Amino acid sequence: MIPEIGHYALVLALLLAVAQSVMPLVGAARRDVAWMETGRMAAFAQLAAITISFAALMQAHVVSDFSVLNVVNNSHSAKPMLYKVSGVWGNHEGSMLLWVFMLALFGAAVAGFGRNIPPTLKARVLGVQGLIGVGFLLFILVTSNPFARIYPAPIDGNDLNPLLQDPGLAFHPPFLYLGYVGFSVAFSFAVGALIEGRVDPAWGRWVRPWTLVAWASLTMGIAMGSWWAYYELGWGGWWFWDPVENASLMPWLAGTALLHSAIVVEKRDALKTWTILLAILTFSLSLLGTFLVRSGVLTSVHAFAVDPQRGVAVLGLLILATGGGLLLFALRAHVLKIGGLFSPVSREGALVLNNLLLSVSAAVVLIGTLMPLLLDAFGHKISVGAPYFNFITPFLTIPLVMVMALGPFMPWKRADLGGILSRLWGVALLTLVSVMLALWLAGVKPVMALVGIAMAGWAGFGAVWEVADRVKLFRVPLADSLSRARGLPLGAWGTAVAHGGMGIAIAGMVGTTFWLAEDVRVMKLGDKALIAGYEVTLDKVEDLRVANYQTEMGHFSVRRDGDLISTLTAERRWYPVAKMQTTEAAIHTTFYSDLYLVLGEENPGGGGWVVRLYHHPLVPWIWIGSLVMVLGGCLSLSDRRLRVGVPARRAAPVSPALQPAE
C-alpha cells in the first residue's frame, strides 16, 4: 500500500509541476498577482508530494519490502541499516527521485526566501523550475518508476553494489546532487532575466547565494567522492580522470566562473551577458553529467545505469534545456544594457581573466571526456587519459592561481599593477620560503613539484596577506587591527578562506603526485617492510564473516625508530550475493602524510600475501583544503548582504499594474 501512495504522490507532483510551470509564467506575462502566487503555492505543494514519495521508497528499503522491484535489485535483508537507507539513492531510479526532491527543495526555497525578488522575476524563476521538474518527473514515471512491483516477491534481494556500501558513498551523492540541482536556480534566474530583458546589480545579488549553495555543495560532493575512491578502491590514488569524475568537475569549473562573474554584475553592473551565458552552460554541464552516468555510454564504478533508452531520454532533456536556454540567449541577449566600463588592469579585469581560464579548463575537460565517445560512434577507437589532462592542466592552473592572489588586491575600475605587486612582497617571500623548504626536504627533481608548491604558497599566503592588508596588520596598533577584522564583511572572510583552502588543496595534490613512494611485495606472517622511514610488520591474517560479506583481514603493526605508532587492519571482502570482491585499505594518517596498505591475494606459490604499500606526502591536505573551501563558501553565504529574504521591506500598496486580472 505504501509504495502505491509513493507512486500516486509522484503523479501528483507531476501535475503540480505543470501548474507551477504554466501559471506563474502566464501570470507574469499578464501582471496577474493571483496567478503568480499560485506558482509559489504549487512549489510548496510539489515539495510535499515528492517528500511523501521519497519517504515511501525509503520505507520500502528500510523494511526490505521485496515486492518492490527497486528493493529487490538494490537491497538485501542482511545489509546494515545505513546502507539500506543510502541504497535508496544508490541506484538509478532512487537517485533520480533524489534529483527531483532536490529540485523541488530549491523551488520551495526560492518561493519561501525570495521575499525581495520582484514578483514577475520570481514568478518566472519558479515557472522555469517547474518546467525542469516536469521533464524529470515525466522521465521517472515513464522510464524509471521506482515503485514498480514484482510478483511473486522473492524471499531476498540481490544486494547493493558492494562498492557503494560505504559511508563515503552514503553521503557523497546527496551533496553532489545539491550542487548539480542547485545550479538549476541560477539557470532559472538567467532565463527569467532574459524574458524580462533586464539584468542589474540587484539580480547579481539575488543569484549569488543560490550559486554559492550549489558551488559549496558540489565542492563537498567532489571531495567526498575523491576520498571514497582513495580509500575504497585500493589503487592508492585520489583522482583518475575517470569520465564520470570529469562530469562533476566540469560544472564545478563553470560554476566557479559563474560565482565570480556574478560578483562583477553586483558590484560594477558589468559582464551581464557573460554571466547569463555561464548560468545556462553551468546547468547544462550538470545535465551532461547526468546523461553520462545514466546513458550506458560509459563504463565506470560511478555509473548507475546501462540502458540506452533512458540515456536518450536524458539526452532529450539536455537538448531541450541547453538548446532552449541558448536560443533564448541568442534572441534576447541584445536587449541587456551594457554595464560599466573598466580597465584591463583592474579587479574586473582579473575576474574576467579568471573566468576565461576556468571556462577554457572546463572546455578542455569536456573535449577530453567526449572526444573518445564521439569518435567511437564513427568507428574510431582512441583513449584519452591522465597524460592528456596532466599535460594541459598546468598551463591553465598556473596563471589562474597567480591571478587568484592578485585580484583581491586590485581596486575596481582601474589599478596600478606595479603598486599591487609591491604590496605582495610578503606573499612572494613566504612563497620562496615554501619552495626552499620543499627543495630541502625533497630535492630539485621534479621541477614541476617545486612550481606546484610555489603556486600553493602563492594562493594560500596571498589569501592570508589580503586579510592582513585589509586590517592593516602591523601598520596600526593590534587592537585597531582586531577591530577592523571584526568589522570585515563575512563575504570578505569567505573569499579569503576559500582561496586559502585552494592553496592547501593544491599543496596536497602536488605532494602526493610527485613524492609518492610505493612498494609491492609478498609478505608472510612476521615479515617486515620499510617505506618512508616506517617499518611495517604483517602480524596476522584471519577470515571472518561480518553482516552480508566475508572478509580476509590482515593485521599490521607500524613502527618508526623502533617505537610502535599504530596497528592497522586491511581487508579483502567477498560479497556472496553480489559475487563481488572489494578491498578496504588500511591508512595511518598524520597531518603531513598517509601510510597506505592494501592486502592482496594469497600467493599460491611460496605462501604469503601480496601487499601494496604507499606513502602519500601531504595527501590529507587535499581534503583539508576542500573542507576549508566549503567553509569559505558557507561564510560568504552567511553574509547578511547575500540573504535574499532580508532586509524585510515594509508592506507597500499593490501597484495598479499588478492588480488581479478581472
Side-chain angles (χ1 to χ4, degrees), residues 172-230:
H172 159 63
F175 279 106
L176 205 62
Y177 281 15
L178 272 174
Y180 281 163
V181 181
F183 286 124
S184 70
V185 181
F187 173 84
S188 299
F189 267 97
V191 172
L194 287 171
I195 296 174
E196 292 205 347
R198 192 183 74 155
V199 174
D200 54 20
W203 181 89
R205 187 166 60 253
W206 292 321
V207 81
R208 271 185 69 195
W210 305 106
T211 306
L212 266 171
V213 170
W215 179 86
S217 300
L218 188 57
T219 302
M220 177 64 81
I222 292 174
M224 293 184 73
S226 171
W227 178 57
W228 165 80
Y230 170 71

Side-chain angles (χ1 to χ4, degrees), residues 236-272:
W238 54 275
W239 192 265
F240 191 64
W241 294 108
D242 181 286
V244 182
E245 291 176 334
N246 296 346
S248 62
L249 178 61
M250 288 184 288
W252 185 88
L253 291 168
T256 305
L258 170 62
L259 189 58
H260 289 83
S261 187
I263 296 174
V264 182
V265 175
E266 178 188 354
K267 301 294 185 183
R268 292 286 301 142
D269 196 23
L271 300 187
K272 298 176 183 179

Side-chain angles (χ1 to χ4, degrees), residues 373-393:
L373 303 178
L374 295 175
L375 292 179
D376 184 59
F378 294 97
H380 301 284
K381 296 284 186 180
I382 68 167
S383 176
V384 177
Y388 162 81
F389 297 104
N390 292 339
F391 174 76
I392 296 179
T393 299

Side-chain angles (χ1 to χ4, degrees), residues 13 48 144 172 204 241 283-284 316 350-351 370 399 410 417 441 484 505 622:
S144 309
H172 159 63
W241 294 108
F283 182 56
S284 299
L351 289 170
L370 295 186
M410 293 184 175
L417 185 58
L441 292 174
R484 287 173 175 270
I622 297 175

Side-chain angles (χ1 to χ4, degrees), residues 94-160:
S95 67
M96 293 310 301
L97 188 56
L98 177 64
W99 177 284
V100 294
F101 173 75
M102 297 289 187
L103 187 66
L105 184 65
F106 275 104
V110 172
F113 295 113
R115 296 194 301 270
N116 281 351
I117 303 174
T120 53
L121 176 60
K122 182 177 177 180
R124 288 178 172 125
V125 170
L126 289 175
V128 176
Q129 288 288 111
L131 284 171
I132 299 171
V134 169
F136 276 95
L137 286 166
L138 273 174
F139 170 75
I140 292 174
L141 288 169
V142 174
T143 71
S144 309
N145 180 12
F147 299 103
R149 292 282 196 172
I150 181 172
Y151 183 83
I155 297 176
D156 220 326
N158 300 329
D159 209 356
L160 180 67

